[in-house]
Amino acid sequence: MIAAIETLIPVFAIILLGAGLKRIGMLSEEQWRGVEDLIYYICFPALIIATLARTVFSTVPVLALAAAMAASVLTMSAILYLARAPLSRWLKANPPAYTSIFQGATRWNTYVALAVVGSLYGADGISLAAIGIAVMIPLLNVLCVSFLLAHVRDEAPSPAAIARGLYTNPLIIACVIGIAINASGLPVYAPILETGAILGRATLGLGLLCVGAGLRIEDGLHIGPRVAFTSIARLIGMPLLMALFCLAFGVSGMAFAVAIICAAVPTASFSYVLARKLGGDAPLMARIITVETLAAAITLPVIIALLPAT
């Protein structure tokens, strides 16, 4: 347990630093958005491309890991969809609020996941997490956008709109490029790969700072049943589902540990942007993000401590 806590101290220290920098106004809102865009469009795609291009997939249980990750997300989504009527009554959640609950329980914060996995397992762990990125980002984008449009605007998203959201997503484009480079078997000029690796290394630190800057610490004092339910579903329910499907698909060792960590991190900060743009309950989404991130400082060390040795 102590080792798990020590592994996570740098991650949450940088998150708290980001929250502190935002509070003292070192950067303006516009400047923070510029940093987020730099990560989203340049640094993070560079990390994905450099990682996937160099991953030796023959030593990685790609299909089993991808299937376990997809199955856990689809199962949680199905539970929330099928139980939306009783849960909405119990939690007193109107349709916009329920979409925030859905996002808070299903989406995952890739910055936190990669930082934790990188600290524990290095480049090999990040390669495994990149498989999760390639699988879950397209899947979650389709699920969350469809759920928001159906419940807030009472309309079904057009296939063209979904396709446009996928082929214009820089992270999905990066996954395709990285996998294509790897599959081609062609040598890549080493300085090009190293350029991508250097940009990629900037992703984690800057990403964690932005996670912290996006927190509203005062929201952590206003939990309530909707935030509590969503946090439990995300931080405890998702790791349990992931463990179940990893066992079902025969995922073990480091791949098992990486999958569980990806399932145990808080929801994505981008959930707030999506809620605001598509008419979800953005204030509730902000509270969920803050509470889950703070609660993960307690739940993640416990989950990591329970992982089997690799």
Side-chain angles (χ1 to χ4, degrees), residues 210-249:
C210 288
V211 170
L215 298 182
R216 294 163 173 80
I217 303 299
E218 60 275 9
D219 287 341
L221 303 176
H222 304 91
I223 299 177
R226 290 177 293 183
V227 176
F229 170 82
T230 309
S231 300
I232 292 170
R234 172 70 241 175
L235 301 177
I236 298 175
M238 278 300 296
L240 289 174
L241 282 175
M242 187 69 79
L244 175 66
F245 284 109
C246 281
L247 293 174
F249 287 103

Side-chain angles (χ1 to χ4, degrees), residues 89-114:
R89 288 194 299 270
W90 177 51
L91 298 172
K92 295 181 174 59
N94 58 18
Y98 198 75
T99 63
S100 293
I101 291 170
F102 183 88
Q103 284 205 91
T106 56
R107 296 184 78 105
W108 61 307
N109 194 310
T110 50
Y111 299 142
V112 176
L114 287 176

Side-chain angles (χ1 to χ4, degrees), residues 119-238:
S119 296
L120 287 170
Y121 305 113
D124 291 340
I126 290 179
S127 294
L128 290 166
I131 295 171
I133 291 171
V135 172
M136 292 211 278
I137 285 179
L139 178 60
L140 284 167
N141 276 358
V142 172
L143 288 172
C144 290
V145 170
S146 300
F147 198 87
L148 272 156
L149 291 177
H151 286 76
V152 176
R153 300 185 182 178
D154 196 25
E155 64 181 77
S158 68
I162 291 176
R164 185 166 56 253
L166 294 178
Y167 70 67
T168 59
N169 186 308
L171 304 186
I172 295 174
I173 294 171
C175 289
V176 172
I177 293 173
I179 292 171
I181 292 172
N182 192 303
S184 72
L186 298 174
V188 180
Y189 189 43
I192 294 177
L193 277 180
E194 185 58 25
T195 299
I198 292 171
L199 283 172
R201 285 194 287 271
T203 302
L204 301 183
L206 290 174
L208 293 175
L209 286 174
C210 288
V211 170
L215 298 182
R216 294 163 173 80
I217 303 299
E218 60 275 9
D219 287 341
L221 303 176
H222 304 91
I223 299 177
R226 290 177 293 183
V227 176
F229 170 82
T230 309
S231 300
I232 292 170
R234 172 70 241 175
L235 301 177
I236 298 175
M238 278 300 296

